[in-house]
Amino acid sequence: MTELLKNFVGGQWVEGRGPGTALHDPVTGAELVRVSSNGLDLPAAFAHARDTGGAALRGLSYAQRAAMLGAIVKVLQANRDAYFDIATANAGTVKNDSAVDIDGGIFTLGQYAKWGAALGDTKALRDGGAVKLSKEGGFQTQHVLVPNRGLALFINAFNFPAWGLWEKAAPALLSGVPVVVKPATATAWLMQRMVADVVAAGVLPAGALSIVCGSSVGLLDALTPFDVLSFTGSAETAATIRQHPAVAHHSVRTNIEADSVNSALLLPGATPGDPSFNLLVREVVREMTVKSGQKCTAIRRIFVPADLYDAVAEAIGAKLAKITVGNPRNETVRMGSLVSRAQFDGVTSGIAALRAETEVLHDGTQHGLVDADPRVAACLGPTLLGARNAEASPIVHELEVFGPAATLVAYRDVPHAHALVRRGGGSLVCSLYGPDDAALSDAALELAPAHGRVHIVTASVESQQTGHGNVMPQSLHGGPGRAGGGEELGGLRALGFYHRRSAIQADATLLDRLSALPFPA
């Protein structure tokens, strides 16, 4: 039997009971490792994190905690090659796609280390200035932000085992809040290895970082009112979480990132071959193929003027036809596999459902696989579908196929385009393309209420823009409605989730003692 990965809880490595669940290479089908969380004493583990880890972290200043994040960066950089090997084996990603996850997580940690250092040797933050409560001004109120006295539980998705951990853990640890993370089982190996390396390096206080690999049973039951919970995954699971007694009765603060049918919108005025047309085509192809389309921010719907529908379909299809698919160990392969055969089955089923209301513009099943057995490998070529009549294809706005698939949709005019984009019910990101700056800025403000992020791509920033689907720590990540209503990152704004805001009312002279606290700008 393959190795059973241990859980790190209560300050020690503990094996779960039983044979555990096997993790497989999604290309070869080979069993890699196993995970199990059966038999763990989660209440005791959580208490250790709160009491031991929390107390130790809160005893440090923001600058000291920022230095710890910098130390984690050095540990991860020293073991970077091993992480790429694990990602290839367990997630089936080509090297560039693995870098989005691994290097993205390291970069985010580094950013929060830098921002945290600027907060200095304090242990609380001001939220605005003091405000008079009495006519004479002697009695005032000052809002402050103080670290939560609980823990942060992260239930993460399978697609970003590295970045998904560190983009949450960086602001949590900087805030002085201990972390317990539950990776998605299918790709848990990479996250477990990263945690093991950090623990071995001794750069964090005891109890500051824990990991539970395997089943999530009992995790929510162990939460208490001052804990916080962050979940990334399906809207169906998110709905179950919101109804759990810990959330519903204890008011556990919860951040959700769920389903999202993100959009790319080409505004009127573009012509085939012009910069805005080409930029849209390039970005769509990238978003369909990076990590085999397994990104919560990937483009799922492409809106174009009706008179450009055929030209855009031809241009995207021509680029997709050049994508090589198969074993990521082969240097000629540009797109690797989905993370598992179960994910493969789900994506193919979803594409079949979309095909019932759309036309096939580029058929991913026609891609031959490189160094991969189609009977075993979870590899699937990119599929472009199309809807000339948007009103006849409601499923396009309702179903997120979490893989290399997107649908091209024709629109009549700008109001029609905006209405179609909003039919997604709230998304993480929409990207805009077009030749008119005024029209682009108007569309950005019109669509902002339905999105966590609006990404405008023009020729002037062609070589600088960070990508429709790339989540940068400087910007908010999240979205309203079906996207979960959550907010992550956004620079030091992320610290707000891990702090409690309280109003201190007192004599103005006494409040002056708080004036040295920094703003989380």
Side-chain angles (χ1 to χ4, degrees), residues 18-104:
T21 301
L23 279 57
H24 294 91
D25 184 316
V27 176
T28 68
E31 183 174 312
L32 302 170
V33 293
R34 289 177 169 264
V35 295
S36 173
S37 60
N38 294 337
L40 298 184
D41 187 345
L42 293 177
F46 281 26
H48 179 265
R50 290 187 203 99
D51 299 339
T52 303
L57 288 171
R58 291 193 303 273
L60 303 173
S61 68
Y62 292 100
Q64 289 172 316
R65 295 194 290 261
M68 290 192 312
L69 298 185
I72 295 174
V73 168
K74 293 180 180 179
V75 172
L76 300 182
Q77 288 174 333
N79 294 280
R80 183 172 173 271
D81 289 346
Y83 304 148
F84 276 83
D85 291 342
I86 292 173
T88 298
N90 193 193
T93 46
V94 296
K95 188 171 184 179
N96 285 345
D97 290 356
S98 299
V100 174
D101 185 25
I102 296 165
D103 290 339

Side-chain angles (χ1 to χ4, degrees), residues 5-9 11-15 192 195-197 199-200 211:
L5 299 181
K6 294 181 179 181
N7 308 277
F8 190 69
V9 291
Q12 57 186 335
W13 290 103
V14 182
E15 277 192 2
Q192 196 269 0
V195 170
D197 289 339
V199 169
I211 185 167

Side-chain angles (χ1 to χ4, degrees), residues 46-255:
F46 281 26
H48 179 265
R50 290 187 203 99
D51 299 339
T52 303
L57 288 171
R58 291 193 303 273
L60 303 173
S61 68
Y62 292 100
Q64 289 172 316
R65 295 194 290 261
M68 290 192 312
L69 298 185
I72 295 174
V73 168
K74 293 180 180 179
V75 172
L76 300 182
Q77 288 174 333
N79 294 280
R80 183 172 173 271
D81 289 346
Y83 304 148
F84 276 83
D85 291 342
I86 292 173
T88 298
N90 193 193
T93 46
V94 296
K95 188 171 184 179
N96 285 345
D97 290 356
S98 299
V100 174
D101 185 25
I102 296 165
D103 290 339
I106 294 173
F107 173 77
T108 299
L109 275 165
Q111 284 295 115
Y112 276 96
K114 180 176 69 174
W115 293 330
L119 294 177
D121 294 322
T122 59
K123 299 178 182 178
L125 302 169
R126 272 192 305 159
D127 182 18
V131 179
K132 295 179 182 179
L133 291 179
S134 65
K135 183 177 180 180
E136 297 80 5
F139 192 66
Q140 299 184 3
T141 184
Q142 171 68 61
H143 289 87
V144 296
L145 295 169
V146 293
N148 281 329
R149 291 297 181 103
L151 58 79
L153 172 62
F154 302 148
I155 301 177
N156 283 17
F158 65 78
N159 54 333
F160 283 96
W163 176 84
L165 166 60
W166 300 118
E167 64 98 8
K168 292 179 171 69
L173 293 172
L174 179 58
S175 298
V177 177
V179 167
V180 177
V181 62
K182 160 63 176 78
T185 297
T187 55
W189 190 11
L190 176 55
M191 191 183 296
Q192 196 269 0
R193 171 60 189 270
M194 285 183 153
V195 170
D197 289 339
V198 171
V199 169
V203 296
L204 291 175
L209 180 62
S210 306
I211 185 167
V212 176
C213 300
S215 171
S216 61
V217 173
L219 283 174
L220 299 187
D221 296 331
L223 293 174
T224 59
F226 297 120
D227 296 329
V228 298
L229 167 66
S230 185
F231 168 78
T232 301
S234 72
E236 182 180 2
T237 303
T240 300
I241 286 175
R242 286 192 171 101
Q243 297 170 20
H244 191 278
V247 176
H249 299 159
H250 296 324
S251 298
V252 169
R253 182 180 289 174
T254 304
N255 186 84

Side-chain angles (χ1 to χ4, degrees), residues 108-398:
T108 299
L109 275 165
Q111 284 295 115
Y112 276 96
K114 180 176 69 174
W115 293 330
L119 294 177
D121 294 322
T122 59
K123 299 178 182 178
L125 302 169
R126 272 192 305 159
D127 182 18
V131 179
K132 295 179 182 179
L133 291 179
S134 65
K135 183 177 180 180
E136 297 80 5
F139 192 66
Q140 299 184 3
T141 184
Q142 171 68 61
H143 289 87
V144 296
L145 295 169
V146 293
N148 281 329
R149 291 297 181 103
L151 58 79
L153 172 62
F154 302 148
I155 301 177
N156 283 17
F158 65 78
N159 54 333
F160 283 96
W163 176 84
L165 166 60
W166 300 118
E167 64 98 8
K168 292 179 171 69
L173 293 172
L174 179 58
S175 298
V177 177
V179 167
V180 177
V181 62
K182 160 63 176 78
T185 297
T187 55
W189 190 11
L190 176 55
M191 191 183 296
Q192 196 269 0
R193 171 60 189 270
M194 285 183 153
V195 170
D197 289 339
V198 171
V199 169
V203 296
L204 291 175
L209 180 62
S210 306
I211 185 167
V212 176
C213 300
S215 171
S216 61
V217 173
L219 283 174
L220 299 187
D221 296 331
L223 293 174
T224 59
F226 297 120
D227 296 329
V228 298
L229 167 66
S230 185
F231 168 78
T232 301
S234 72
E236 182 180 2
T237 303
T240 300
I241 286 175
R242 286 192 171 101
Q243 297 170 20
H244 191 278
V247 176
H249 299 159
H250 296 324
S251 298
V252 169
R253 182 180 289 174
T254 304
N255 186 84
I256 299 289
E257 185 213 300
D259 299 351
S260 183
V261 282
N262 310 294
S263 304
L265 170 59
L266 179 63
L267 291 169
T271 57
D274 76 7
S276 55
F277 181 100
N278 290 340
L279 287 168
L280 170 88
V281 170
R282 184 183 308 169
E283 202 68 15
V284 166
V285 172
R286 175 163 62 176
E287 288 302 310
M288 289 181 67
T289 56
V290 170
K291 290 188 72 71
S292 299
Q294 297 169 116
K295 289 170 39 178
C296 55
T297 52
I299 294 170
R300 308 299 181 192
R301 301 176 297 159
I302 311 143
F303 297 100
V304 300
D307 61 351
L308 289 179
Y309 178 90
D310 290 323
V312 172
E314 182 179 355
I316 294 175
K319 286 186 174 293
L320 291 178
K322 299 176 182 178
I323 302 296
T324 50
V325 182
N327 193 327
R329 299 167 181 85
N330 188 306
E331 293 185 357
T332 67
V333 169
R334 183 172 166 187
M335 190 174 87
S337 72
L338 299 165
V339 300
S340 66
R341 283 298 295 193
Q343 180 67 8
F344 176 90
D345 292 341
V347 169
T348 54
S349 175
I351 291 175
L354 288 175
R355 288 180 65 158
E357 294 185 6
T358 60
E359 60 178 326
V360 179
L361 301 175
H362 180 82
D363 190 349
T365 64
Q366 298 305 305
H367 284 252
L369 303 187
V370 178
D371 286 347
D373 184 347
R375 297 168 299 179
V376 177
C379 298
L380 180 66
T383 296
L384 179 68
L385 304 169
R388 293 179 185 273
N389 181 353
E391 278 64 36
S393 305
I395 193 173
V396 169
H397 313 289
E398 300 164 1

